[in-house]
Amino acid sequence: MGFFKNLLKPGSATESNISRALRTVVESDTPAARSDLHNALKQQRVVLPVPRPPDNLQRDASGRLLQNTRLEFLSFQDSRGRKFIAVFTNPEALKKWKSDAPSWVAIDAPSVCRAALDSGQSVLQINPGDPTFVELGQEEMKLLAEAKGKE
């Protein structure tokens, strides 16, 4: 548990790139902060709630999907009635937000963005319910969907 405490400790030497980038966007939502977030997300696996784990999910070592795979994921609705896909930086963040999520998979953020766009989704929320909650719109999702990640 100490690992996750350090992972999320703001400004610590052990704070992850994604935690730092999310915190920076929340503190000052500038184009530079968003660019840093996009760069962090290109290399990041995210926790995606799913109704059931997919069969034959083939990923490389960094979590990128190896082929186009149809992902069933859970869509949520915010208090204003907008539908969104929720992803999380770790399983604990998901449990804090929705303790009854049936299951989840960890997949690279670009693959999640591709799958979400392919299914007509236009909003991706990262860590909803958390102080470092950030929302990505359709244009940001398209930008990430085109990313290849680490080779």
Side-chain angles (χ1 to χ4, degrees):
M1 211 50 170
F3 169 76
F4 286 116
K5 198 185 277 185
N6 286 335
L7 178 74
L8 301 174
K9 187 176 178 185
S12 73
T14 57
E15 183 181 27
S16 69
N17 287 339
I18 190 66
S19 294
R20 187 177 311 107
L22 287 167
R23 181 177 47 79
T24 301
V25 168
V26 168
E27 291 171 357
S28 173
D29 195 351
T30 64
R34 287 279 172 166
S35 179
D36 288 345
L37 175 61
H38 299 157
N39 288 333
L41 284 169
K42 288 175 187 176
Q43 310 304 324
Q44 179 73 31
R45 280 189 229 186
V46 293
V47 172
L48 176 68
V50 294
R52 63 190 153 284
D55 295 330
N56 302 320
L57 189 64
Q58 296 179 12
R59 297 175 281 194
D60 66 11
S62 69
R64 288 189 311 266
L65 294 177
L66 293 176
Q67 77 268 355
N68 285 338
T69 302
R70 177 152 168 70
L71 282 175
E72 276 189 61
F73 46 81
L74 301 173
S75 182
F76 300 95
Q77 194 168 352
D78 68 14
S79 59
R80 294 180 290 179
R82 296 179 315 147
K83 289 187 177 181
F84 65 92
I85 300 296
V87 297
F88 301 85
T89 53
N90 60 65
E92 286 71 25
L94 168 60
K95 286 179 190 166
K96 276 186 358 188
W97 183 68
K98 188 161 178 57
S99 61
D100 64 343
S103 189
W104 56 268
V105 292
I107 300 178
D108 68 298
S111 292
V112 170
C113 288
R114 282 190 293 279
L117 290 167
D118 288 347
S119 70
Q121 299 290 327
S122 59
V123 177
L124 183 77
Q125 292 188 0
I126 304 167
N127 290 343
D130 191 83
T132 60
F133 155 74
V134 171
E135 184 173 289
L136 301 181
Q138 193 169 25
E139 291 305 312
E140 289 175 293
M141 291 170 57
K142 286 179 184 175
L143 177 73
L144 287 168
E146 296 169 0
K148 299 295 183 212
K150 284 184 183 175
E151 296 302 323

